[in-house]
Each structure stands twice: as structure tokens, then as C-alpha cells.
Amino acid sequence: MNSPIQILPLSTVFQILLLTLLIIIKSLASSPEENTPAFFIFGDSTVDVGNNNYIDTIARANLPPYGHSSFFNKPTGRFSDGRIVVDFIAEYAKLPIIPPFKQPSAKFIKGVNFASGGAGVLPETYRGIVIDFPTQLEQFNTVISSLSAELGEADARELIATAVYFISIGSNDYLSYLGSPQRQEVFTSEDIVGMVIGNLSESIQGLYEKGARKFGFLSLSPLGCLPALRAANPKADGSCFDDVSDLALAHNNALYGVLLSFGHILTEFKYAFSSGFYSWLHEVIHNPAKSGFKDGINACCGSGPYGGVYSCGGNKEVSDYEVCNSTEDFVWWDSFHVTEKLAEKIADMLWNGPQTSIGPYNLKGLFFNNEKSRVEDIVDAKENWEAFAL
């Protein structure tokens, strides 16, 4: 015999409805930013948002015509005509613009940017005029202490564990090496790649030991196609400086292997690696019209062949420079850095790109905990690595 249906008292039903309504109101009232992980950024001028404004260095971008796009309409210290990759990523993640660590009024609860123009993985890269990667990691320790004091240790640990850590660094190590005949006499190109990757691997592990779990990496571009390197090519035929690009490619392949290994041996280690970035940018440079550009060779701001003399802003050894009429037409803003327009396209690829461009996660998946079973992605990554190793 079936039990009689038990009817809840009206007061209980009312309480349940009220509780449900309060939960809905709270979820609607909370801003997207409150639920978004913090964003910590390490690297060089590709992601520096103004730290070099606060140090004694010639590697600065806090003067016109830098920052002249309509978004900022003034120099900010970004090596661009406007926004850079991490600005767009923060926007996509529904975060405010992430401040530089050196900014006196900087708040750390949504993240902080430690990057420094000219910085390398190795401390000896442009020593004394940049904030090198080891120093950036020391600054992160300061942030951890500050967050612990502000939030309490438990909440600070939670913030650190759920944050996304973005790293874009390495090109200056190779440019510095190639610019030093003395170092080339001591180290082979294989040596320098090994040193950079070894130190970078230790740094990633160090962040992991501090609680970091989610990492994003912008791989190196075809460095020999930068206007400065194209102009320096001994062939003097207008082609990319292949020896420099080869170092970048070797770096990317080595880092890919390290991350694949970390994904297997480090618990909860998740990463987004832009394995397709090098070839994608190479295609944009050589076929700019396909991506909405007119010029993939010359810098918008600079002087000399291809705008390859790094004179934009007039604060360097060569003070004369020219600026193009329309940055929208150019891949390159100055002799080393891309325009805001290209930065947005790079950010789009990092944020929501397919497996052919970035994996095993993209940044959207890291920020918003895309936990759909990506076993197939890991298998694909392993197969890709095994194919490369052959």
C-alpha cells in the first residue's frame, strides 16, 4: 500500500521559496569580476604595462607616439600604439585592466603585472636596466604576503590556487646572446636554449610550489622577421634573419616538451601553450592581406630600412623617427613590437583558439574552469609531441 503524500506546511514552503529567491538575487547581484580568477602576468615588453616607467632604463615607452590609439590616447608605458595582448585577455575575462606591480596605488586582489620591457629569463640579460624574471618572481612573494595580510591566509591561498599565470618571455635572452660575440664564443646556440629553458622550467616549478596551478604561455614569434632583425640580416636582401628565428623555434619546441612533462607529473597542473602562434604569425607577416593588414614587413614607427632602427619616441641613440598615417594597416608598431590591432588578434587566438593554435586548454578554459573531459586533448598533445620527436 502506498504511503500517503505528505504535504509541507505553508510556512515551510514559503521559507524554501524565500531562500531560493535570495540565492537567485545574490547570484544576479554579484558582478562577473567577483567570480573571475585573478590574473598574474610575467614577462618582457610584449606584456609590460608600465613597470619600466618606474626604473632607471632607456627601455621605456612612456612618451609619444606610444599609446596614441583612441583607447588610452596617451603613453602608458606599453610598447604599442595602444592596448597589448594582456589588456584584451583581461577584458575577455571580465577583469579590470591589470596594473603594473611598480604602480604606487596598485591593488593586487584582481592580479598584477610584473613584466618589464627588455627582461629575460636569465638574470644576466640586459642586467641593470630591466626587471629580470627572477626579480619578478621575488616581487610575487611580496604580493602573496600582501594578499595574506589583506584576506587572511586561507583566502589568499584560494586566490593563488585559482588564478591564471601568464608568461611571455625569452626573446631578449636570444637577442642579447646574438648581440654578444663574447658569449657566442663561450656558448653554442644549443647551450643558450638549454640555459633559458632550464631556468624557465625551474621558475614554473617555483610558482607551482607557491600554489599556482593554471598557466598560459605565449610562445616566441619568428624573431628574425621583426623589422629590427630583418634590417640586421647579413644577407641584406629583405628576407627574415633565419638564424634568429631558428633559435625561437628551438625554444618553442623545448618548452612544449617541458610543459607536456609537467602535465603528467605535477598534480592539477593545467596549461595553455600557443604552439601554433609561430606559424600563424609567420603567415600573417608574409600574407598580411588575409588578416586585414597591408604591410607585414615595415614598422609603423621607426627609421631606416623597414623601420628597423629602434628610434620610435626619440629617446634612444637615434632620435629621428617617422610614424605611419594608419596603424590599422601595419602588423608592426615599432622595430620590435606589434600594433594594437594585431595584439587583439593574438589575444583572440589565445582566448578561444582551436587545438591547432593553443592547447591542451585555451585561456577561456583556464579562466572559467572548462572541465569538460579533455582527455582527447592530452592524447592529441602526446601524439603531436611523439610525432615531433620522430
Side-chain angles (χ1 to χ4, degrees), residues 97-155:
I97 289 177
I98 305 300
F101 173 79
K102 286 286 188 178
Q103 182 177 299
S105 59
K107 303 294 184 182
F108 303 144
I109 198 164
K110 297 298 181 184
V112 67
N113 188 318
F114 303 95
S116 169
V121 174
L122 305 176
E124 57 265 35
T125 296
Y126 303 129
R127 189 193 298 273
I129 61 169
V130 302
I131 306 167
D132 59 51
F133 195 31
T135 301
Q136 293 178 34
L137 296 172
E138 291 174 8
Q139 292 172 342
F140 180 60
N141 291 336
T142 302
V143 169
I144 293 176
S145 298
S146 175
L147 289 171
S148 296
E150 181 179 355
L151 304 175
E153 288 192 12
D155 285 348

Tab-separated table of all heavy atoms in Angstrom, residues 97-155:
chain	number	residue	atom	x	y	z
A	97	ILE	N	41.575	46.439	-16.075
A	97	ILE	CA	42.943	46.454	-16.583
A	97	ILE	C	43.883	46.116	-15.429
A	97	ILE	O	43.793	46.703	-14.342
A	97	ILE	CB	43.278	47.829	-17.188
A	97	ILE	CG1	42.505	48.012	-18.510
A	97	ILE	CG2	44.771	47.980	-17.413
A	97	ILE	CD1	42.706	49.353	-19.157
A	98	ILE	N	44.767	45.163	-15.655
A	98	ILE	CA	45.673	44.708	-14.596
A	98	ILE	C	46.827	45.703	-14.458
A	98	ILE	O	47.513	46.005	-15.432
A	98	ILE	CB	46.210	43.295	-14.909
A	98	ILE	CG1	45.052	42.317	-15.140
A	98	ILE	CG2	47.121	42.815	-13.791
A	98	ILE	CD1	44.111	42.165	-13.964
A	99	PRO	N	47.065	46.225	-13.243
A	99	PRO	CA	48.065	47.282	-13.061
A	99	PRO	C	49.493	46.740	-12.990
A	99	PRO	O	49.709	45.565	-12.665
A	99	PRO	CB	47.671	47.885	-11.708
A	99	PRO	CG	47.107	46.720	-10.945
A	99	PRO	CD	46.372	45.900	-11.980
A	100	PRO	N	50.479	47.592	-13.280
A	100	PRO	CA	51.876	47.190	-13.083
A	100	PRO	C	52.205	47.113	-11.594
A	100	PRO	O	51.692	47.912	-10.796
A	100	PRO	CB	52.663	48.305	-13.774
A	100	PRO	CG	51.756	49.490	-13.763
A	100	PRO	CD	50.358	48.943	-13.848
A	101	PHE	N	53.054	46.170	-11.237
A	101	PHE	CA	53.444	45.991	-9.839
A	101	PHE	C	54.049	47.270	-9.263
A	101	PHE	O	53.827	47.597	-8.092
A	101	PHE	CB	54.449	44.840	-9.733
A	101	PHE	CG	55.043	44.676	-8.363
A	101	PHE	CD1	54.340	44.042	-7.352
A	101	PHE	CD2	56.323	45.155	-8.068
A	101	PHE	CE1	54.876	43.899	-6.078
A	101	PHE	CE2	56.878	45.004	-6.804
A	101	PHE	CZ	56.151	44.377	-5.815
A	102	LYS	N	54.815	47.984	-10.075
A	102	LYS	CA	55.527	49.168	-9.594
A	102	LYS	C	54.623	50.381	-9.376
A	102	LYS	O	55.036	51.359	-8.753
A	102	LYS	CB	56.635	49.545	-10.593
A	102	LYS	CG	57.845	48.626	-10.582
A	102	LYS	CD	58.708	48.864	-9.367
A	102	LYS	CE	60.009	48.110	-9.411
A	102	LYS	NZ	60.865	48.392	-8.233
A	103	GLN	N	53.419	50.334	-9.884
A	103	GLN	CA	52.497	51.459	-9.713
A	103	GLN	C	52.175	51.642	-8.231
A	103	GLN	O	51.695	50.710	-7.581
A	103	GLN	CB	51.217	51.186	-10.501
A	103	GLN	CG	50.193	52.309	-10.437
A	103	GLN	CD	48.982	51.985	-11.304
A	103	GLN	OE1	49.095	51.821	-12.510
A	103	GLN	NE2	47.814	51.860	-10.680
A	104	PRO	N	52.418	52.824	-7.667
A	104	PRO	CA	52.256	53.018	-6.221
A	104	PRO	C	50.868	52.670	-5.687
A	104	PRO	O	50.730	52.168	-4.574
A	104	PRO	CB	52.561	54.510	-6.037
A	104	PRO	CG	53.451	54.859	-7.184
A	104	PRO	CD	52.969	54.023	-8.331
A	105	SER	N	49.834	52.915	-6.478
A	105	SER	CA	48.474	52.688	-5.997
A	105	SER	C	47.923	51.308	-6.376
A	105	SER	O	46.734	51.042	-6.198
A	105	SER	CB	47.532	53.756	-6.562
A	105	SER	OG	47.548	53.717	-7.991
A	106	ALA	N	48.770	50.437	-6.871
A	106	ALA	CA	48.298	49.150	-7.396
A	106	ALA	C	47.653	48.293	-6.312
A	106	ALA	O	48.178	48.162	-5.206
A	106	ALA	CB	49.464	48.391	-8.027
A	107	LYS	N	46.502	47.726	-6.651
A	107	LYS	CA	45.830	46.743	-5.804
A	107	LYS	C	46.023	45.370	-6.430
A	107	LYS	O	45.980	45.224	-7.647
A	107	LYS	CB	44.338	47.060	-5.684
A	107	LYS	CG	44.032	48.450	-5.140
A	107	LYS	CD	44.481	48.594	-3.689
A	107	LYS	CE	44.093	49.956	-3.124
A	107	LYS	NZ	44.574	50.137	-1.730
A	108	PHE	N	46.213	44.366	-5.587
A	108	PHE	CA	46.622	43.061	-6.087
A	108	PHE	C	45.505	42.023	-6.141
A	108	PHE	O	45.714	40.918	-6.648
A	108	PHE	CB	47.749	42.506	-5.212
A	108	PHE	CG	48.950	43.400	-5.105
A	108	PHE	CD1	49.661	43.487	-3.915
A	108	PHE	CD2	49.367	44.154	-6.181
A	108	PHE	CE1	50.775	44.299	-3.806
A	108	PHE	CE2	50.475	44.981	-6.094
A	108	PHE	CZ	51.191	45.054	-4.893
A	109	ILE	N	44.318	42.344	-5.663
A	109	ILE	CA	43.309	41.314	-5.463
A	109	ILE	C	42.766	40.756	-6.787
A	109	ILE	O	42.310	39.613	-6.833
A	109	ILE	CB	42.162	41.858	-4.582
A	109	ILE	CG1	41.342	40.692	-4.007
A	109	ILE	CG2	41.284	42.825	-5.362
A	109	ILE	CD1	40.467	41.084	-2.850
A	110	LYS	N	42.851	41.527	-7.871
A	110	LYS	CA	42.433	41.032	-9.185
A	110	LYS	C	43.612	40.577	-10.025
A	110	LYS	O	43.442	40.089	-11.147
A	110	LYS	CB	41.670	42.129	-9.946
A	110	LYS	CG	40.378	42.554	-9.285
A	110	LYS	CD	39.392	41.401	-9.184
A	110	LYS	CE	38.091	41.854	-8.543
A	110	LYS	NZ	37.155	40.710	-8.344
A	111	GLY	N	44.807	40.731	-9.472
A	111	GLY	CA	46.010	40.350	-10.197
A	111	GLY	C	46.970	41.511	-10.314
A	111	GLY	O	46.664	42.641	-9.921
A	112	VAL	N	48.127	41.241	-10.877
A	112	VAL	CA	49.141	42.281	-11.035
A	112	VAL	C	50.077	41.874	-12.163
A	112	VAL	O	50.243	40.685	-12.456
A	112	VAL	CB	49.911	42.513	-9.709
A	112	VAL	CG1	50.739	41.302	-9.343
A	112	VAL	CG2	50.771	43.763	-9.778
A	113	ASN	N	50.674	42.867	-12.793
A	113	ASN	CA	51.576	42.636	-13.917
A	113	ASN	C	53.008	42.964	-13.488
A	113	ASN	O	53.291	44.095	-13.090
A	113	ASN	CB	51.148	43.519	-15.100
A	113	ASN	CG	51.896	43.222	-16.373
A	113	ASN	OD1	53.102	43.006	-16.367
A	113	ASN	ND2	51.192	43.221	-17.489
A	114	PHE	N	53.889	41.977	-13.573
A	114	PHE	CA	55.293	42.142	-13.160
A	114	PHE	C	56.222	42.385	-14.345
A	114	PHE	O	57.414	42.604	-14.153
A	114	PHE	CB	55.770	40.882	-12.430
A	114	PHE	CG	54.954	40.499	-11.233
A	114	PHE	CD1	53.927	39.564	-11.337
A	114	PHE	CD2	55.196	41.069	-9.991
A	114	PHE	CE1	53.172	39.200	-10.234
A	114	PHE	CE2	54.441	40.716	-8.878
A	114	PHE	CZ	53.417	39.781	-9.000
A	115	ALA	N	55.722	42.329	-15.567
A	115	ALA	CA	56.567	42.313	-16.761
A	115	ALA	C	57.373	43.595	-16.919
A	115	ALA	O	56.945	44.681	-16.525
A	115	ALA	CB	55.706	42.088	-17.995
A	116	SER	N	58.534	43.438	-17.560
A	116	SER	CA	59.457	44.556	-17.749
A	116	SER	C	60.062	44.494	-19.145
A	116	SER	O	60.636	43.465	-19.536
A	116	SER	CB	60.572	44.491	-16.695
A	116	SER	OG	61.616	45.401	-16.983
A	117	GLY	N	59.923	45.584	-19.893
A	117	GLY	CA	60.497	45.639	-21.232
A	117	GLY	C	61.988	45.374	-21.214
A	117	GLY	O	62.722	46.005	-20.461
A	118	GLY	N	62.435	44.438	-22.043
A	118	GLY	CA	63.848	44.079	-22.108
A	118	GLY	C	64.236	42.914	-21.225
A	118	GLY	O	65.361	42.424	-21.293
A	119	ALA	N	63.310	42.454	-20.375
A	119	ALA	CA	63.637	41.388	-19.424
A	119	ALA	C	63.852	40.061	-20.140
A	119	ALA	O	63.288	39.800	-21.202
A	119	ALA	CB	62.515	41.243	-18.394
A	120	GLY	N	64.666	39.226	-19.507
A	120	GLY	CA	64.881	37.877	-19.998
A	120	GLY	C	64.667	36.876	-18.886
A	120	GLY	O	64.495	37.235	-17.720
A	121	VAL	N	64.681	35.615	-19.261
A	121	VAL	CA	64.622	34.545	-18.269
A	121	VAL	C	65.909	34.543	-17.443
A	121	VAL	O	65.877	34.365	-16.219
A	121	VAL	CB	64.434	33.181	-18.971
A	121	VAL	CG1	64.529	32.040	-17.957
A	121	VAL	CG2	63.101	33.132	-19.705
A	122	LEU	N	67.038	34.771	-18.115
A	122	LEU	CA	68.339	34.760	-17.442
A	122	LEU	C	68.602	36.122	-16.798
A	122	LEU	O	68.383	37.163	-17.431
A	122	LEU	CB	69.448	34.435	-18.447
A	122	LEU	CG	69.271	33.131	-19.239
A	122	LEU	CD1	70.396	32.972	-20.264
A	122	LEU	CD2	69.228	31.934	-18.302
A	123	PRO	N	69.094	36.143	-15.574
A	123	PRO	CA	69.316	37.428	-14.887
A	123	PRO	C	70.361	38.306	-15.561
A	123	PRO	O	70.338	39.530	-15.404
A	123	PRO	CB	69.753	37.006	-13.471
A	123	PRO	CG	70.209	35.592	-13.602
A	123	PRO	CD	69.396	34.990	-14.700
A	124	GLU	N	71.278	37.690	-16.320
A	124	GLU	CA	72.319	38.483	-16.978
A	124	GLU	C	71.841	39.178	-18.248
A	124	GLU	O	72.567	40.003	-18.813
A	124	GLU	CB	73.546	37.608	-17.302
A	124	GLU	CG	73.251	36.401	-18.165
A	124	GLU	CD	73.025	35.143	-17.345
A	124	GLU	OE1	72.457	35.248	-16.228
A	124	GLU	OE2	73.399	34.063	-17.819
A	125	THR	N	70.641	38.877	-18.714
A	125	THR	CA	70.123	39.519	-19.919
A	125	THR	C	69.768	40.971	-19.619
A	125	THR	O	68.869	41.254	-18.842
A	125	THR	CB	68.885	38.761	-20.440
A	125	THR	OG1	69.288	37.437	-20.832
A	125	THR	CG2	68.272	39.466	-21.633
A	126	TYR	N	70.530	41.883	-20.238
A	126	TYR	CA	70.364	43.330	-20.044
A	126	TYR	C	70.328	43.690	-18.554
A	126	TYR	O	69.525	44.515	-18.099
A	126	TYR	CB	69.116	43.834	-20.765
A	126	TYR	CG	69.117	43.515	-22.250
A	126	TYR	CD1	68.037	42.893	-22.868
A	126	TYR	CD2	70.225	43.826	-23.042
A	126	TYR	CE1	68.055	42.585	-24.228
A	126	TYR	CE2	70.248	43.521	-24.396
A	126	TYR	CZ	69.163	42.902	-24.990
A	126	TYR	OH	69.193	42.592	-26.329
A	127	ARG	N	71.235	43.073	-17.830
A	127	ARG	CA	71.307	43.284	-16.377
A	127	ARG	C	71.440	44.764	-16.032
A	127	ARG	O	72.176	45.520	-16.662
A	127	ARG	CB	72.512	42.519	-15.812
A	127	ARG	CG	72.567	42.496	-14.292
A	127	ARG	CD	73.928	42.001	-13.796
A	127	ARG	NE	74.215	40.651	-14.220
A	127	ARG	CZ	73.849	39.544	-13.559
A	127	ARG	NH1	73.150	39.660	-12.448
A	127	ARG	NH2	74.182	38.347	-14.028
A	128	GLY	N	70.672	45.187	-15.036
A	128	GLY	CA	70.788	46.543	-14.508
A	128	GLY	C	69.824	47.548	-15.104
A	128	GLY	O	69.618	48.622	-14.531
A	129	ILE	N	69.221	47.221	-16.255
A	129	ILE	CA	68.303	48.188	-16.865
A	129	ILE	C	66.901	47.601	-17.048
A	129	ILE	O	66.036	48.223	-17.669
A	129	ILE	CB	68.832	48.703	-18.219
A	129	ILE	CG1	68.988	47.554	-19.231
A	129	ILE	CG2	70.136	49.448	-18.045
A	129	ILE	CD1	69.258	48.042	-20.654
A	130	VAL	N	66.678	46.402	-16.502
A	130	VAL	CA	65.360	45.755	-16.593
A	130	VAL	C	65.046	45.077	-15.263
A	130	VAL	O	65.904	44.959	-14.386
A	130	VAL	CB	65.315	44.700	-17.732
A	130	VAL	CG1	65.649	45.330	-19.070
A	130	VAL	CG2	66.268	43.542	-17.435
A	131	ILE	N	63.806	44.638	-15.139
A	131	ILE	CA	63.410	43.809	-14.001
A	131	ILE	C	63.405	42.370	-14.505
A	131	ILE	O	62.470	41.946	-15.203
A	131	ILE	CB	62.015	44.202	-13.475
A	131	ILE	CG1	61.975	45.699	-13.159
A	131	ILE	CG2	61.651	43.383	-12.235
A	131	ILE	CD1	60.564	46.236	-12.926
A	132	ASP	N	64.458	41.627	-14.210
A	132	ASP	CA	64.593	40.288	-14.775
A	132	ASP	C	63.567	39.322	-14.179
A	132	ASP	O	62.895	39.630	-13.189
A	132	ASP	CB	66.020	39.761	-14.595
A	132	ASP	CG	66.449	39.699	-13.138
A	132	ASP	OD1	65.704	39.131	-12.317
A	132	ASP	OD2	67.538	40.218	-12.817
A	133	PHE	N	63.446	38.165	-14.798
A	133	PHE	CA	62.427	37.197	-14.387
A	133	PHE	C	62.598	36.745	-12.936
A	133	PHE	O	61.615	36.681	-12.188
A	133	PHE	CB	62.437	36.009	-15.351
A	133	PHE	CG	61.215	35.134	-15.262
A	133	PHE	CD1	59.969	35.642	-14.910
A	133	PHE	CD2	61.302	33.781	-15.546
A	133	PHE	CE1	58.842	34.820	-14.854
A	133	PHE	CE2	60.189	32.953	-15.492
A	133	PHE	CZ	58.959	33.475	-15.133
A	134	PRO	N	63.817	36.433	-12.488
A	134	PRO	CA	63.956	36.065	-11.072
A	134	PRO	C	63.464	37.158	-10.124
A	134	PRO	O	62.855	36.855	-9.089
A	134	PRO	CB	65.470	35.824	-10.927
A	134	PRO	CG	65.925	35.411	-12.295
A	134	PRO	CD	65.087	36.239	-13.233
A	135	THR	N	63.713	38.417	-10.475
A	135	THR	CA	63.239	39.519	-9.628
A	135	THR	C	61.714	39.616	-9.667
A	135	THR	O	61.071	39.898	-8.645
A	135	THR	CB	63.869	40.849	-10.072
A	135	THR	OG1	65.300	40.744	-9.994
A	135	THR	CG2	63.399	42.000	-9.198
A	136	GLN	N	61.128	39.391	-10.833
A	136	GLN	CA	59.668	39.388	-10.926
A	136	GLN	C	59.066	38.321	-10.005
A	136	GLN	O	58.029	38.546	-9.364
A	136	GLN	CB	59.240	39.136	-12.380
A	136	GLN	CG	59.594	40.268	-13.331
A	136	GLN	CD	59.198	39.976	-14.768
A	136	GLN	OE1	58.192	39.327	-15.042
A	136	GLN	NE2	59.995	40.465	-15.712
A	137	LEU	N	59.713	37.182	-9.924
A	137	LEU	CA	59.231	36.116	-9.040
A	137	LEU	C	59.362	36.508	-7.573
A	137	LEU	O	58.507	36.165	-6.750
A	137	LEU	CB	60.007	34.824	-9.317
A	137	LEU	CG	59.807	34.238	-10.723
A	137	LEU	CD1	60.761	33.069	-10.951
A	137	LEU	CD2	58.374	33.795	-10.937
A	138	GLU	N	60.423	37.248	-7.234
A	138	GLU	CA	60.567	37.751	-5.865
A	138	GLU	C	59.451	38.751	-5.550
A	138	GLU	O	58.922	38.789	-4.431
A	138	GLU	CB	61.941	38.410	-5.697
A	138	GLU	CG	63.109	37.426	-5.731
A	138	GLU	CD	64.450	38.137	-5.718
A	138	GLU	OE1	64.462	39.379	-5.538
A	138	GLU	OE2	65.479	37.458	-5.902
A	139	GLN	N	59.096	39.564	-6.535
A	139	GLN	CA	58.003	40.522	-6.335
A	139	GLN	C	56.677	39.802	-6.094
A	139	GLN	O	55.827	40.280	-5.334
A	139	GLN	CB	57.898	41.445	-7.550
A	139	GLN	CG	59.088	42.385	-7.707
A	139	GLN	CD	59.062	43.161	-9.006
A	139	GLN	OE1	58.361	42.798	-9.960
A	139	GLN	NE2	59.839	44.230	-9.076
A	140	PHE	N	56.514	38.654	-6.724
A	140	PHE	CA	55.303	37.864	-6.498
A	140	PHE	C	55.212	37.415	-5.038
A	140	PHE	O	54.126	37.360	-4.467
A	140	PHE	CB	55.284	36.656	-7.434
A	140	PHE	CG	54.073	35.775	-7.278
A	140	PHE	CD1	52.798	36.271	-7.483
A	140	PHE	CD2	54.218	34.449	-6.925
A	140	PHE	CE1	51.678	35.463	-7.337
A	140	PHE	CE2	53.112	33.622	-6.777
A	140	PHE	CZ	51.835	34.131	-6.981
A	141	ASN	N	56.353	37.116	-4.423
A	141	ASN	CA	56.355	36.765	-2.994
A	141	ASN	C	55.808	37.916	-2.159
A	141	ASN	O	55.079	37.711	-1.171
A	141	ASN	CB	57.771	36.420	-2.536
A	141	ASN	CG	58.277	35.120	-3.135
A	141	ASN	OD1	57.493	34.253	-3.517
A	141	ASN	ND2	59.590	34.980	-3.217
A	142	THR	N	56.163	39.148	-2.549
A	142	THR	CA	55.636	40.326	-1.853
A	142	THR	C	54.120	40.399	-1.978
A	142	THR	O	53.409	40.727	-1.016
A	142	THR	CB	56.267	41.607	-2.440
A	142	THR	OG1	57.690	41.540	-2.316
A	142	THR	CG2	55.745	42.851	-1.744
A	143	VAL	N	53.615	40.075	-3.168
A	143	VAL	CA	52.170	40.094	-3.403
A	143	VAL	C	51.472	39.041	-2.543
A	143	VAL	O	50.410	39.295	-1.962
A	143	VAL	CB	51.866	39.880	-4.898
A	143	VAL	CG1	50.375	39.632	-5.118
A	143	VAL	CG2	52.320	41.088	-5.701
A	144	ILE	N	52.070	37.856	-2.442
A	144	ILE	CA	51.487	36.801	-1.612
A	144	ILE	C	51.364	37.272	-0.160
A	144	ILE	O	50.329	37.090	0.487
A	144	ILE	CB	52.327	35.512	-1.684
A	144	ILE	CG1	52.252	34.902	-3.085
A	144	ILE	CG2	51.852	34.493	-0.651
A	144	ILE	CD1	53.134	33.687	-3.280
A	145	SER	N	52.413	37.909	0.340
A	145	SER	CA	52.388	38.419	1.716
A	145	SER	C	51.313	39.482	1.881
A	145	SER	O	50.584	39.507	2.880
A	145	SER	CB	53.761	38.991	2.085
A	145	SER	OG	54.758	38.000	2.035
A	146	SER	N	51.191	40.368	0.886
A	146	SER	CA	50.191	41.431	0.948
A	146	SER	C	48.775	40.851	0.929
A	146	SER	O	47.907	41.290	1.694
A	146	SER	CB	50.380	42.379	-0.245
A	146	SER	OG	49.365	43.348	-0.291
A	147	LEU	N	48.552	39.858	0.063
A	147	LEU	CA	47.227	39.240	-0.014
A	147	LEU	C	46.884	38.491	1.269
A	147	LEU	O	45.735	38.516	1.723
A	147	LEU	CB	47.175	38.280	-1.209
A	147	LEU	CG	47.177	38.939	-2.598
A	147	LEU	CD1	47.334	37.881	-3.688
A	147	LEU	CD2	45.911	39.749	-2.826
A	148	SER	N	47.871	37.840	1.863
A	148	SER	CA	47.638	37.126	3.120
A	148	SER	C	47.239	38.082	4.227
A	148	SER	O	46.358	37.788	5.042
A	148	SER	CB	48.890	36.341	3.522
A	148	SER	OG	49.180	35.334	2.573
A	149	ALA	N	47.893	39.257	4.254
A	149	ALA	CA	47.564	40.257	5.271
A	149	ALA	C	46.179	40.850	5.045
A	149	ALA	O	45.446	41.142	5.994
A	149	ALA	CB	48.622	41.366	5.258
A	150	GLU	N	45.805	41.002	3.777
A	150	GLU	CA	44.523	41.631	3.449
A	150	GLU	C	43.343	40.661	3.560
A	150	GLU	O	42.277	41.027	4.070
A	150	GLU	CB	44.573	42.186	2.022
A	150	GLU	CG	43.298	42.882	1.579
A	150	GLU	CD	43.396	43.440	0.164
A	150	GLU	OE1	44.490	43.368	-0.432
A	150	GLU	OE2	42.375	43.945	-0.331
A	151	LEU	N	43.562	39.425	3.101
A	151	LEU	CA	42.456	38.471	3.014
A	151	LEU	C	42.463	37.396	4.082
A	151	LEU	O	41.444	36.744	4.315
A	151	LEU	CB	42.482	37.779	1.635
A	151	LEU	CG	42.448	38.663	0.394
A	151	LEU	CD1	42.598	37.801	-0.856
A	151	LEU	CD2	41.159	39.466	0.332
A	152	GLY	N	43.616	37.206	4.706
A	152	GLY	CA	43.793	36.043	5.561
A	152	GLY	C	44.450	34.940	4.747
A	152	GLY	O	44.287	34.863	3.528
A	153	GLU	N	45.183	34.062	5.403
A	153	GLU	CA	45.971	33.072	4.683
A	153	GLU	C	45.127	32.111	3.868
A	153	GLU	O	45.478	31.757	2.741
A	153	GLU	CB	46.862	32.298	5.666
A	153	GLU	CG	48.030	33.120	6.200
A	153	GLU	CD	49.047	32.262	6.929
A	153	GLU	OE1	48.966	31.026	6.828
A	153	GLU	OE2	49.917	32.842	7.602
A	154	ALA	N	43.998	31.672	4.408
A	154	ALA	CA	43.171	30.691	3.700
A	154	ALA	C	42.621	31.270	2.399
A	154	ALA	O	42.708	30.637	1.341
A	154	ALA	CB	42.029	30.220	4.596
A	155	ASP	N	42.071	32.481	2.453
A	155	ASP	CA	41.509	33.090	1.243
A	155	ASP	C	42.614	33.461	0.256
A	155	ASP	O	42.411	33.388	-0.967
A	155	ASP	CB	40.703	34.337	1.605
A	155	ASP	CG	39.358	33.992	2.233
A	155	ASP	OD1	38.972	32.802	2.180
A	155	ASP	OD2	38.703	34.896	2.788
